[in-house]
Amino acid sequence: MRIVILLVLLIHTVGCSRRPSLTAELMPESLTAVNLEETFGHDEVMMAYSLTSYDAQNKPVGVVNGGWGVEPVKKGQQLNLKASGSQPTEHNPAKPIQLTVPKNGRIIASLVLIEVDDYNQARQTLAKIQKIHNIVAIPVGLLLTATEVLTPLKYVSAGLVASGIGLQLVDKLDDDDLLGQSSVELRESVLRKNKQQFIRVPAVFTGQNMRNSFEYQLIYDVTLKTVKIQPAHP
């Protein structure tokens, strides 16, 4: 009887000490073109986004990438970027990306919006990004300390390089225009303490190009999910 009680206590202790991992999911939600960069017609825009994870020692351990576009956007137009089930949409929906949050570590969610001038080049760039969509890579070249500060554009660009594309978005912006960039940091300890499961990030991108003023309003969501080991299905 005493042995049975000890076994039960041991199982209970092990079960309590092993917390399920958290997975962060980044999903672009909507994009509104309040005012365009171009004077007439529409803007051609594309989006690139990434999740980069750091462990408790602040070492980068994983990165995933995603991309959306190239889509024409008219002034005043609002695009729902999420797939709406079986109902057809006027544009291609964005797809979410996911990455595990390291224990006592953090995740950086980053997103950039670009107005493209060279449609064919932009489509080729996007095709490369979508080819490695949501595939986890090890960002060995991204050895950053806590004191180093990266822009969202640099996070996205570094993530693409880590995934083997050899593509620097910074270099592609000679002919294209960066409409805006946004990022949010999520720490595992804070997420668990606050029992946070959903974060909605609004971003407003404004600027001036020649005589034209542009404004884009973007919303993207970060959802935290508990990972449980499930049996493999054929």
Side-chain angles (χ1 to χ4, degrees):
M1 184 65 180
R2 183 175 298 176
I3 295 177
V4 173
I5 294 176
L6 289 174
L7 286 175
V8 171
L9 290 175
L10 178 61
I11 293 173
H12 178 73
T13 301
V14 172
C16 291
S17 62
R18 297 184 60 185
R19 297 182 301 180
S21 299
L22 291 177
T23 290
E25 179 181 275
L26 169 60
M27 178 67 210
E29 177 72 24
S30 66
L31 177 67
T32 302
V34 179
N35 207 12
L36 301 182
E37 186 179 50
E38 300 291 339
T39 304
F40 303 103
H42 59 265
D43 285 346
E44 295 277 359
V45 299
M46 67 171 286
M47 188 184 303
Y49 43 98
S50 68
L51 289 170
T52 307
S53 62
Y54 292 81
D55 63 16
Q57 286 71 46
N58 204 41
K59 178 182 178 181
V61 292
V63 62
V64 292
N65 303 279
W68 171 85
V70 174
E71 296 284 347
V73 181
K74 298 179 180 180
K75 182 177 180 179
Q77 184 177 7
Q78 179 176 345
L79 299 181
N80 177 17
L81 302 179
K82 295 181 66 174
S84 55
S86 59
Q87 296 182 356
T89 58
E90 297 181 358
H91 57 85
N92 294 322
K95 295 181 180 180
I97 55 176
Q98 296 182 342
L99 190 63
T100 301
V101 184
K103 182 179 179 181
N104 296 323
R106 60 191 175 101
I107 277 211
I108 306 292
S110 306
L111 186 148
V112 296
L113 182 67
I114 301 169
E115 199 277 326
V116 301
D117 292 329
D118 189 328
Y119 179 84
N120 291 328
Q121 185 185 64
R123 291 297 302 174
Q124 293 174 9
T125 299
L126 183 65
K128 292 179 180 179
I129 296 175
Q130 292 179 336
K131 189 175 182 179
I132 47 90
H133 177 91
N134 211 33
I135 297 177
V136 180
I138 308 301
V140 292
L142 201 61
L143 299 177
L144 306 174
T145 66
T147 59
E148 291 181 280
V149 178
L150 288 184
T151 64
L153 176 60
K154 289 182 179 179
Y155 271 114
V156 173
S157 181
L160 293 173
V161 173
S163 298
I165 290 182
L167 174 69
Q168 287 283 355
L169 279 184
V170 178
D171 298 335
K172 296 293 182 180
L173 293 182
D174 292 339
D175 299 320
D176 300 344
D177 297 313
L178 179 64
L179 296 173
Q181 52 185 324
S182 175
S183 67
V184 61
E185 178 180 291
L186 309 173
R187 293 190 175 271
E188 196 252 8
S189 58
V190 176
L191 295 172
R192 290 195 183 277
K193 179 179 179 181
N194 298 336
K195 298 182 178 180
Q196 202 164 3
Q197 295 181 325
F198 179 79
I199 301 170
R200 171 151 288 183
V201 185
V204 178
F205 304 144
T206 60
Q208 190 88 15
N209 182 21
M210 304 295 288
R211 296 183 178 179
N212 301 325
S213 299
F214 65 86
E215 179 180 343
Y216 280 87
Q217 296 177 358
L218 173 69
I219 295 176
Y220 60 98
D221 298 334
V222 181
T223 305
L224 285 305
K225 302 179 179 181
T226 301
V227 178
K228 295 182 179 179
I229 298 177
Q230 301 289 347
H233 295 285

